[in-house]
Amino acid sequence: MSTAREIAEEVLAAEAAAVDEEHRWPDKGIAALRSRLGGLVVPEQAGGMGHGLLAVAQVGEATGRACASTSICFGMHLVGSAVIAAKASPRQQKHYLEPIAAGEHLTTLALSEPGTGGEFWLPQTRMERAGEDRLRLTGAKSFVTNAGHADSYVLSTLAAGPGTPPGQFSCTVVDAAVPGLEWGPRWQGFGMRGNASRGLELHGVEIPDWCLLGEEGDEIWYVFNVVAPYFLMAMAGTYLGVAAAALEETRAFLLRRKQARTGRSVASQPVVQHRLGAMWARVERTRRLIYHAATEAEFGGPEALLGLASAKAEVADATEATVNDALTLVGGVGYGERSPLHRMLRDARAAHVMSPGTDLLRVWTGRALLDEPLLEG
């Protein structure tokens, strides 16, 4: 998307090194993206742009090329927006979606919890009734992106209290200004240093019951019909951008590099040509898989699950391998502290870690192919 590319080139690229070095949340980049693309996935009737998964992947690639941290932060806003929009009530549309579409509201996800590991769809944060029209939330969340900077947080919960059925999971949205939210210390990461990831404690946080998303018990539906597709495409697009940036960084270096003794361009060496060609093919086939997966999922195609799960798994492998190859071709220059490849390698490694991880995605793909239940075993 041209708007995303423009913002990436004019704002994100200039801030990327400082965001990484200072572990700083990318306020300038997020402000620029929010003002022009904040309503990317918000329906048109709420003032948004009405785009879907393919646009999320395309924007992620454009922003990931410049700054992976900013891309992840904005990607989480897009996923949160899609969750709110999926079954939004008129009140939720006015309170959340319209401000999001106007570029005035930043949202994000708060699903992961300590102790649940990769099974983020099985929350233990308790939700119980606190009067006729109030809900009370008690529990803890972990690795919340945009922590302390978002205007609202999309949470997953487990029903609690007398008469509640066991294992009933629901989603809510919580305003940042609500009393009882306590943020943990800033996470010091190996990569993705600007994502402002923190833990969150909810000490009997009370919210109006109209902040419940959909109906009670809808959380699993949200996770696999909205959260997973949008999250996987936001992540896949971001890491595709990192791989594409590493490829271009390598190509530019090889074109300008001359051998001191002969004056010949390094680009004239067959082994260099071969390796760069292999890098290009890896990035391009991964791009085609990601965009195919997004399109297939948007239209409800039979290979939607296979494509979505494989896209993030493939891009994790491809990005790590591409940055490693880039470092080999560039040589010692690439190992400098201020080399963009230094940052890209650390950012790329996170692709395997962010849940659902690569191994789980491969298992899901295999289960889908074998008509086995996705969440058993």
Side-chain angles (χ1 to χ4, degrees):
M1 284 195 162
S2 59
T3 301
R5 288 193 295 269
E6 180 184 327
I7 295 170
E9 293 168 2
E10 296 180 1
V11 183
L12 273 58
E15 294 283 308
V19 164
D20 179 68
E21 290 172 12
E22 300 168 17
H23 295 244
R24 172 161 57 81
W25 188 73
D27 53 341
K28 291 182 181 178
I30 293 298
L33 289 165
R34 184 177 66 182
S35 66
R36 299 176 64 184
L37 293 171
L40 184 75
V41 300
V42 173
E44 292 181 1
Q45 62 264 32
M49 302 170 72
H51 289 296
L53 294 169
L54 181 58
V56 169
Q58 291 172 330
V59 168
E61 180 180 0
T63 53
R65 280 176 179 260
C67 178
S69 286
T70 308
S71 189
I72 290 292
C73 290
F74 189 64
M76 289 302 93
H77 164 77
L78 296 179
V79 182
S81 299
V83 175
I84 296 171
K87 295 185 178 183
S89 68
R91 193 164 187 177
Q92 290 166 352
Q93 176 173 311
K94 186 165 185 64
H95 189 78
Y96 295 110
L97 296 182
E98 291 177 9
I100 287 172
E104 299 168 353
H105 186 104
L106 186 75
T107 191
T108 196
L109 296 183
L111 303 185
S112 297
E113 296 187 0
T116 60
E119 296 180 325
F120 61 89
W121 55 89
L122 299 175
Q124 298 303 303
T125 294
R126 294 162 57 89
M127 182 183 77
E128 55 191 328
R129 289 284 169 180
E132 190 172 324
D133 58 356
R134 307 285 292 175
L135 300 171
R136 182 181 296 116
L137 309 178
T138 305
K141 297 294 181 179
S142 57
F143 298 112
V144 180
T145 298
N146 296 320
H149 298 280
D151 299 297
S152 65
Y153 299 87
V154 173
L155 274 71
S156 52
T157 66
L158 171 65
T164 57
Q168 180 170 281
F169 304 110
S170 302
C171 287
T172 67
V173 59
V174 177
D175 288 342
V178 171
L181 299 178
E182 181 182 337
W183 293 105
R186 186 173 66 179
W187 181 67
Q188 301 291 331
F190 174 72
M192 292 293 181
R193 291 174 171 178
N195 72 353
S197 181
R198 294 187 180 200
L200 172 64
E201 298 279 346
L202 298 104
H203 302 287
V205 172
E206 290 196 12
I207 59 174
D209 62 1
W210 61 261
C211 290
L212 178 72
L213 296 175
E215 302 293 332
E216 291 193 53
D218 277 355
E219 187 252 8
I220 296 295
W221 181 89
Y222 276 107
V223 165
F224 288 99
N225 288 278
V226 187
V227 174
Y230 278 88
F231 177 81
L232 291 171
M233 285 299 97
M235 297 303 99
T238 291
Y239 289 108
L240 175 61
V242 175
L247 174 64
E248 185 53 38
E249 182 77 16
T250 306
R251 178 175 177 271
F253 174 85
L254 294 173
L255 285 172
R256 66 175 180 265
R257 184 71 168 176
K258 304 282 187 183
Q259 290 181 323
R261 184 176 62 83
T262 64
R264 293 184 63 192
S265 170
V266 173
S268 66
Q269 298 178 7
V271 66
V272 169
Q273 297 162 357
H274 170 84
R275 297 196 68 155
L276 190 67
M279 289 168 66
W280 181 90
R282 181 194 299 130
V283 172
E284 185 59 25
R285 65 176 175 260
T286 304
R287 176 181 290 112
R288 290 172 185 264
L289 170 61
I290 292 169
Y291 288 177
H292 167 74
T295 303
E296 185 81 353
E298 281 189 359
F299 291 98
E303 295 185 344
L305 173 59
L306 301 174
L308 290 169
S310 295
K312 181 177 177 288
E314 285 295 306
V315 81
D317 287 339
T319 304
E320 188 177 28
T322 300
V323 181
N324 273 323
D325 284 348
L327 284 164
T328 299
L329 285 173
V330 169
V333 174
Y335 285 83
E337 278 286 339
R338 298 189 181 278
S339 164
L341 294 174
H342 183 280
R343 180 180 74 250
M344 291 174 196
L345 182 63
R346 290 184 285 100
D347 288 344
R349 192 60 186 81
H352 289 292
V353 176
M354 289 187 174
S355 187
T358 302
D359 288 338
L360 179 59
L361 290 169
R362 299 292 194 201
V363 169
W364 282 358
T365 303
R367 285 178 177 170
L369 287 167
L370 296 170
D371 297 323
E372 291 290 321
L374 205 62
L375 299 183
E376 289 188 4

